């Protein structure tokens, strides 16, 4: 009995002391996945700056340029007929009339400050060397240019100037001062400066070479007065005299009187005169 009990006890002990199955604890492997951060490259496209539009604006002509466009052809015609450089005539007109804005030019079409000196036509009084001196008043600017040419050609003190070349504007400018035309010591320099600044010498070359230039000059009654008509006649306007008309049409007072059977020098506004050929 005891033996059985011992055997049973040993059997129980043997079973309890046998190898134990190990408990395997599986650790979860936490794989740290690397996040790849894709950096977006934001390319900033700069807007193209708009091209600047360059607007070229032409400057309006100056008062001198306007004067030249009005009277260049007249100056050239006087160079043809009287051998005075057109550049000199234009420069004197610009200087002495204030580019046509002076009182004598505006009120009397007198661009060269020509005084009365026995003038029988219309007159205007203006302060100059003395108070209220008498100046010639013309109906047309061309008559002022014609008288200016006659003034230079008709006086012996200017005779040496006509021995110069017609395009020698420097010689003419200095010669006018030497002959007593002006008292201003800088008068020659002023003329030469105007001629070279505005290239007035080109008109001398046009006359000498026979080149014709298309003129932009527009004649108006205010500046130029009535034109000669094609029938060689003239309607007398205010300020007209036989003397002024003889100079304008390059004839003589006697020829005008004879052609029109005039007994005196009196004219009537509106009277039609026949111009001798």
């Amino acid at each position: 009995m005891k033996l059985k009990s011992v055997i049973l006890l040993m059997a129980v002990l043997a079973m309890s002391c046998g190898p134990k199955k190990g408990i395997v604890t599986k650790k979860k492997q936490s794989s740290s996945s690397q996040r790849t951060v894709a950096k977006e490259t934001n390319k900033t496209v700069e807007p193209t700056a708009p091209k600047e539009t360059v607007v070229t604006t032409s400057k309006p002509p100056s008062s001198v340029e306007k004067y030249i466009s009005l009277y260049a052809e007249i100056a050239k015609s006087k160079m043809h007929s009287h051998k005075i450089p057109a550049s000199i005539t234009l420069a004197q007109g610009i200087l002495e009339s204030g580019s046509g804005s002076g009182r004598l030019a505006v009120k009397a079409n007198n661009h060269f400050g020509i005084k009365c000196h026995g003038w029988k036509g219309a007159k205007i009084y203006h302060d100059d060397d003395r108070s209220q001196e008498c100046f010639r008043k013309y109906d047309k600017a061309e008559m002022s240019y014609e008288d200016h040419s006659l003034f230079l050609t008709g006086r012996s003190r200017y005779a040496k100037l006509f021995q110069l070349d017609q395009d020698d504007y420097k010689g003419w400018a200095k010669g006018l001062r030497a002959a007593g035309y002006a008292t201003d010591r800088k008068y020659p320099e002023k003329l030469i400066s105007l001629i070279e600044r505005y290239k007035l010498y080109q008109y001398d070359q046009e006359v000498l070479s026979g080149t014709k230039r298309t003129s932009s000059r527009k004649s108006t009654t205010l500046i130029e007065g009535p034109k000669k008509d094609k029938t060689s006649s003239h309607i007398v306007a205010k300020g007209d005299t036989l003397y002024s008309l003889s100079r304008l049409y390059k004839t003589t007072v006697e020829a005008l009187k004879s052609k029109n059977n005039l007994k005196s020098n009196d004219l009537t506004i509106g009277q039609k005169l026949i111009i001798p050929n």
Side-chain angles (χ1 to χ4, degrees), residues 119-131:
W119 175 251
K120 302 298 182 182
K123 303 176 180 66
I124 185 172
Y125 294 90
H126 180 76
D127 291 344
D128 191 52
D129 296 329
R130 295 186 298 275
S131 176

Side-chain angles (χ1 to χ4, degrees), residues 2-17:
K2 288 182 180 181
L3 182 58
K4 291 180 178 181
S5 299
V6 171
I7 293 170
L8 181 61
L9 179 62
M10 290 177 67
V12 172
L13 288 173
M15 292 178 65
S16 60
C17 293

Side-chain angles (χ1 to χ4, degrees), residues 17-209:
C17 293
K20 297 181 180 179
K21 295 181 178 179
I23 301 172
V24 179
T25 303
K26 293 183 178 180
K27 294 182 179 180
K28 294 182 179 179
Q29 294 179 355
S30 59
S31 59
S32 58
S33 59
Q34 296 178 351
R35 293 181 181 180
T36 303
V37 180
K39 294 183 180 180
E40 296 182 358
T41 304
N42 295 328
K43 293 182 179 181
T44 305
V45 180
E46 296 182 358
T48 304
K51 294 182 179 180
E52 295 183 0
T53 303
V54 179
V55 180
T56 304
T57 57
S58 57
K59 293 182 179 179
S62 66
S63 59
V64 174
E65 291 168 331
K66 289 179 181 178
Y67 186 93
I68 294 168
S69 68
L70 281 171
Y71 300 108
E73 291 302 313
I74 300 176
K76 286 169 61 178
S77 72
K78 300 310 169 189
M79 182 173 177
H80 272 296
S81 59
H82 299 286
K83 313 305 179 186
I84 301 168
S87 59
I88 286 291
T89 302
L90 273 175
Q92 286 187 288
I94 292 167
L95 187 60
E96 296 177 31
S97 74
S99 301
S101 63
R103 180 173 178 266
L104 289 177
V106 173
K107 299 290 186 181
N109 280 319
N110 190 334
H111 287 238
F112 300 92
I114 302 175
K115 297 181 181 180
C116 290
H117 299 307
W119 175 251
K120 302 298 182 182
K123 303 176 180 66
I124 185 172
Y125 294 90
H126 180 76
D127 291 344
D128 191 52
D129 296 329
R130 295 186 298 275
S131 176
Q132 293 299 291
E133 291 192 80
C134 180
F135 289 85
R136 300 182 184 189
K137 184 175 182 180
Y138 304 100
D139 187 51
K140 303 178 185 180
E142 286 95 335
M143 295 165 64
S144 174
Y145 274 73
E146 176 67 12
D147 256 5
H148 168 264
S149 297
L150 293 174
F151 179 82
L152 294 180
T153 56
R155 285 164 173 75
S156 58
R157 57 178 169 157
Y158 301 114
K160 290 183 179 180
L161 295 175
F162 294 91
Q163 297 174 10
L164 299 171
D165 292 335
Q166 288 188 54
D167 58 354
D168 184 5
Y169 62 85
K170 291 183 179 179
W172 267 83
K174 295 173 183 177
L176 284 169
R177 169 73 175 83
Y181 185 93
T183 56
D184 184 357
R185 292 182 180 179
K186 294 184 178 180
Y187 190 76
E189 288 78 8
K190 290 177 180 179
L191 293 181
I192 293 170
S193 176
L194 284 169
I195 290 170
E196 295 183 344
R197 179 178 180 183
Y198 294 99
K199 300 180 180 179
L200 302 183
Y201 47 76
Q202 66 183 317
Y203 300 111
D204 300 338
Q205 298 303 324
E206 288 174 16
V207 173
L208 294 175
S209 64

